[in-house]
Each structure stands twice: as C-alpha cells, then as structure tokens.
Amino acid sequence: MYKRTVKGWLRNLDFILLDECCLLLVLLLAVYPGVGGGFAVQDANPPGLIVLILAFDLFVMAATDSLEGVLTRGYVVELKYTLRHGFYLLSITVLGMIVRGTPVEKAPASILAAILLYLALGYASRILWRRFLRRHPRKREKQKLMLIVTDEKSAPDIVARMRQYSFERYALAGLVIIDRDAKGDAVAGVPVVANLKDAADYICRAWVDEVFFFHASLDDRAQELLLRCREMALTVHLYFALQGVDERKQTLEHLAGYRVLTANMNLMSLTDAFIKRAFDITAGLIGSLAALPVVAVAGLLIRKESPGPLLLRQERVGENGKRFKMYKIRSMYVDAEARKQEFAQANSHTDGMLFKMDFDPRVVGNRLLPDGTKKTGVGDFIRRTGLDEFPQFFNVLKGDMSVVGTRPPTVDEWERYQYHHRARLSIRPGVTGLWQVHKGKDHMPFDEVVRLDTEYIAHWSVGLDLRIILKTVRRLFGEAQETHADRAPDGGEKR
C-alpha cells in the first residue's frame, strides 16, 4: 500500500520550525528592552505582538509557498526567496503593528535592524540545515528501494536527478533498460539488474518497494511488465498517464522533479498512516508486556513435555518482499519441520501453498491413542487460544509487522508465488487480518485467501482494522471453548 507524503507547505515542517525559531529569537531582541537594549520596539503587550508576528510568518509561508524546492534550489535562488519572504513579512507586520497601535514611527531603525537580522539568520539556517540533510540522509533501511524502468539514453539523467532530488526518500534498487537485452552492467554506479524478459521474475523475488517507469512510449514488452507490477500490487510511478486504473487510486506526485501519475491498489494518507502506526506502537507496547508472562508460563509448560527453545525465530517475507524474523512461542516438537514431508498427504491444501492438518501429531501433547482417539495437549491449547502469537507484538514494535494486515508467508511458500499472489505483500503483514477471522479459513483455497487479503488492502480503513480486531477477540474467546474438532489447525510453526 502506498503511503502518500505530505502535500503543500507542511511537507517542509523542519524548515518551518527552523524559520520560526530564528524569527522568535529576533523578536525577543526587538521587543524586550532588557534583552535588546536600545534595539527594542515599544509595545503595550509584547507577548501578543510576538505571537501575532509568528502567525504572520506562517501565513506568508503558506500563501507564497516560499519553501517550494528549498532542498534543491541554489544559493542565489535561495537568497531571492528569502528577500521576497522578508518583504511580505515586513509589509504585513507593519500593517498589523499600526492596527494594534504600536508606535511604528518611533522605531524605524529598530524594525529595519530586526528584519535584516531575521533575513540573515533565516538564510544561513536554511543553507546549513539543507547541507546537513544532504550529508546525513536517512539510513538505507528506512528508504524506499526504487527500481527504474527506462531506455538507455534517459538512464544517466534519471539516476542523476533521483540522487539530486530524492536522496531522502529513495535508494536505487537497480535499472531495467527497455531497449537492450544485456544486464549486469551499471549506469552511473547503479546496476542493470534485469532486462524486460526477466524483470517481472526479478521483482517478484527481490526486495523492491516501488517501480518508476520513464519513457515517452512503452512497447508491448514494457506494457506487459507494467501489467505484472500492477498484478503484484507494487506502487508504480509513471511519467505518463496510466490507463485502466481506478482514478480514486491514482495521485499526481513529484518524483525527482518530474510530474508523475502514481497508482496502487489503495492509497493511504499521511494522517491514516500516522494513526495506524500510532495504534501499532500502543498495541505493541501493551502486547509485548503481556507477552512476557505468557511466554514464561506457556514456555515452561511446553518445555516440560518437549525440551527445546521457548521461542521460535522464523524467517518470513514481509512488505514488498523484505525478509524478517518473526517470533512465536514454540508449540510443536523441535523436529516438526523435518517431519513435515511425512504428513504431506494429510495437507488439506492440495495446491501446497499452505500447510494445514485437521490433527497434527507434531504439536506438543498431541497423540493418537491405540483405539484411534485423538488426544490434544498444551501445544494445541496455546494455538487455539492464540497465545503462541503474543511474541509477534515485538515484531509490531520493531515495525516488521502491524496489528492488522496479511499473513506473512514462509520463504518456501513465497518462492511458489505467482504474480497475483504477490499483491498480499504490498502492506505490512499483520498479527491478525481479514482472512484470519473468516469462518471457513481452515479449509479455504489459497486463491480465496489471496482474494480476501487483496480485498482488505483495496478497502483498507481505520474502521476496518477496528472491526477485524473485535472479530479476532471474539473468535479467540470462542475457540478457547470449542471442542477439539473445532480447533484451528495450522501445521508447522506457520499460523
């Protein structure tokens, strides 16, 4: 799922706060006699005047968009923007002071000195902060990995512009050159990782967050790659109009100075992304604290019957193919994975995309008695009640997972994915999700699982997350009271 960045003047919030701090310092010197001495402007209510001028400054920045391109414009252009901003601020400030009754005519030198000092501080602070940001960009793992699909002639310019304009948001995963078959070379230090023939397979298996198509017209093979990217629910940036996509899921963006049309299965606003992550952090903290006693008690009960580690750290495939270690309480015998093939015939999913058994002897405490009776134990109990999932709240805190999302596949499952299956990976995986709370989930075909997951992504909202959480709680309490025949089997440590 694509998370939209801040639009308008608020996208440069750091520069706004920096500018306000410079102005506040100047105003303290200009308004208070004890601070600025003879430099001071006389006013009956100095705090009110300071607040008013700070508000004027915000208004001028919003009205004139004076921070547009602040990260990339040159020194001379920056000076021009600074002087223009200062002129507008001075004009509206003087007008406001006259309306307030401040004796402007008695302190023209002080006002002039204040505005000159503010211009000098504002200009210097912007240049220094911009230089700091360029020298200390965000760490690579926090940046989006961008794959560029373009022609050989355009590639050097696009790479240069991506580095110039988008150093904060993106790292370059590689290039796909559409008018040549060779791969393995590099353009301006960026490797050509695939050609059009095998680009879709590369994207399906590699960690790629977004794909940028840049070309005046795409031939049939490039159009096929574009369709594959849409099928995999990848965020796609296009330097031309995208046809056949729901207009509500398209947005105009700026990428490396280009105006592009961005499309995905769904769009998430900055506010929605903040709410979802804030909820994840809150729930992650609560769940992690609750997990400590659960791990201690359940782990001791498991080890009493099956010596071995209390927790499992299993490699899973997360958002856009990024691998991570998922934590679970061990509910199966230590040789469960080695014995998986032994029970392949009992798998209720004949396509092999998931592994589920109605009764799994590899679960700790599960035994088939001589008379054919199926006896369950502590492992089955913690799986039915969801206690084995509690350590995943540590993954939620780390940012590998969300409270609500799609089930993260194991590596062997992911390696069998077809193009449309990859759509499940377009968001962070969740501890619970729409598929997990479905009544028929235990014997559901994998394509139906994918359909439910893509339905969740396409119709995501904060309200939908809350409804899924409520259904999860009700289902867990219900399963804890069900008979053995109604439990939720999930062979292997792959719930």
Side-chain angles (χ1 to χ4, degrees), residues 122-137:
Y123 179 81
S125 64
R126 291 181 190 180
I127 295 298
L128 292 175
W129 182 242
R130 185 175 66 190
R131 185 176 300 177
F132 174 83
L133 291 178
R134 286 187 170 278
R135 292 182 177 179
H136 302 85

Side-chain angles (χ1 to χ4, degrees), residues 7 12 127 140 203 253 260 263 356 393 427 433 490:
K7 293 296 182 183
N12 295 311
I127 295 298
R140 183 179 180 84
I203 294 171
E253 302 277 355
V260 298
K356 290 180 178 292
F393 284 106
I427 62 170
D490 191 358

Side-chain angles (χ1 to χ4, degrees), residues 94-141:
V94 170
L95 180 61
M97 292 173 69
I98 293 174
V99 173
R100 280 174 54 88
T102 303
V104 177
E105 67 282 357
K106 295 182 179 180
S110 297
I111 295 175
L112 180 60
I115 194 65
L116 291 177
L117 179 59
Y118 164 67
L119 292 176
L121 286 176
Y123 179 81
S125 64
R126 291 181 190 180
I127 295 298
L128 292 175
W129 182 242
R130 185 175 66 190
R131 185 176 300 177
F132 174 83
L133 291 178
R134 286 187 170 278
R135 292 182 177 179
H136 302 85
R138 294 185 296 179
K139 293 182 180 179
R140 183 179 180 84
E141 59 267 25

Side-chain angles (χ1 to χ4, degrees), residues 53 83 217 242 252:
I53 297 177
L83 293 175
S217 61
L242 180 62
L252 290 175

